[in-house]
Amino acid sequence: QQAQLKMLRYQLNPHFLFNTLNAISTLVLDQKTGPANTMLTRLSRFLRYSLDNDPMQKVTVATEVEALKLYLDIEKVRFEERLQLYFDIDPTARSALMPSLLLQPLVENSIKYAISVAIGGGSISVSALVAGDQLVLSVADDGPGLDHRPDKARKSGGVGLVNCRERLREIYGNRQSVRLGATRPHGLTVTIRIPL
């Protein structure tokens, strides 16, 4: 079980790394050394965080949000004003424990399927709250929604969601849930419930 959890946690999405390095390469070719250096520094910080943290240990929601911001800082260099970010973290949820880097693949899915395909970009909202004895986490985007994603992504929700489901199943068994829903007026919301 520990080996399975570590394998799932260390699966850094090759698309993310490829896209980031590609974006840095483009900036260098355009002689935009300032933004290229910024992006490299942010990538380094994010990779260091992802490698330094023991995948068997849980982190607070506040720590997870900071790690998510490290990742989103990289994407902000790529998308600039086309990517709008919103965080709604209830104070009672900040100290709750959760698996580390659980939300990053979900946000990455939103960027891939919602932000990058829209000419004007879009927004991603991350929220956390406590409901009784559960921690409720959600990632929502205002993209086209699940119906307009490629067949493979529509059936499974993408690699990030499959990884997320497997990790939660390994850690919490049946005491967790992952639900896909529509964001109004359009988009996708992924809601996770785990024991508080």
Side-chain angles (χ1 to χ4, degrees):
Q1 186 188 34
Q2 285 192 3
Q4 170 76 355
L5 273 174
K6 286 186 177 182
M7 184 272 292
L8 288 167
R9 167 62 174 68
Y10 283 136
Q11 268 182 350
L12 182 64
N13 189 330
H15 294 294
F16 153 65
L17 200 50
F18 173 78
N19 288 338
T20 304
L21 292 173
N22 222 17
I24 292 168
S25 176
T26 302
L27 289 170
V28 170
L29 287 172
D30 291 344
Q31 297 186 346
K32 296 179 179 175
T33 53
N37 186 55
T38 300
M39 208 165 182
L40 268 174
T41 304
R42 290 173 180 180
L43 175 62
S44 174
R45 275 191 209 135
F46 177 72
L47 291 176
R48 181 174 295 282
Y49 174 87
S50 65
L51 292 172
D52 280 353
N53 281 276
D54 184 345
M56 303 305 295
Q57 298 296 316
K58 295 185 180 80
V59 298
T60 64
V61 170
T63 302
E64 174 75 354
V65 167
E66 288 310 306
L68 202 51
K69 286 178 178 175
L70 283 176
Y71 164 71
L72 287 165
D73 279 347
I74 298 165
E75 297 294 8
K76 280 293 276 183
V77 177
R78 281 178 63 205
F79 293 100
E80 297 177 329
E81 298 311 310
R82 290 179 59 225
L83 174 58
Q84 300 299 314
L85 306 168
Y86 302 96
F87 289 90
D88 183 16
I89 311 300
D90 191 278
T92 57
R94 288 183 60 79
S95 59
L97 295 175
M98 61 178 289
S100 66
L101 289 179
L102 184 72
L103 301 180
Q104 185 269 333
L106 304 182
V107 171
E108 189 174 337
N109 271 359
S110 287
I111 287 172
K112 181 178 179 182
Y113 295 113
I115 309 301
S116 66
V117 296
I119 295 169
S123 65
I124 298 173
S125 302
V126 178
S127 67
L129 59 90
V130 173
D133 61 352
Q134 290 187 317
L135 174 64
V136 183
L137 306 158
S138 73
V139 174
D141 64 56
D142 60 359
L146 204 57
D147 291 341
H148 295 86
R149 291 187 180 189
D151 284 342
K152 190 176 176 186
R154 187 163 52 241
K155 286 174 187 159
S156 66
V159 175
L161 192 57
V162 170
N163 183 294
C164 176
R165 285 185 197 277
E166 287 181 18
R167 284 184 70 197
L168 290 174
R169 205 175 293 123
E170 285 288 338
I171 298 168
Y172 300 107
N174 294 325
R175 297 179 305 133
Q176 50 77 30
S177 69
V178 180
R179 298 274 182 268
L180 303 187
T183 308
R184 300 291 172 216
H186 55 83
L188 178 69
T189 300
V190 180
T191 304
I192 296 169
R193 291 176 175 265
I194 57 176
L196 184 65

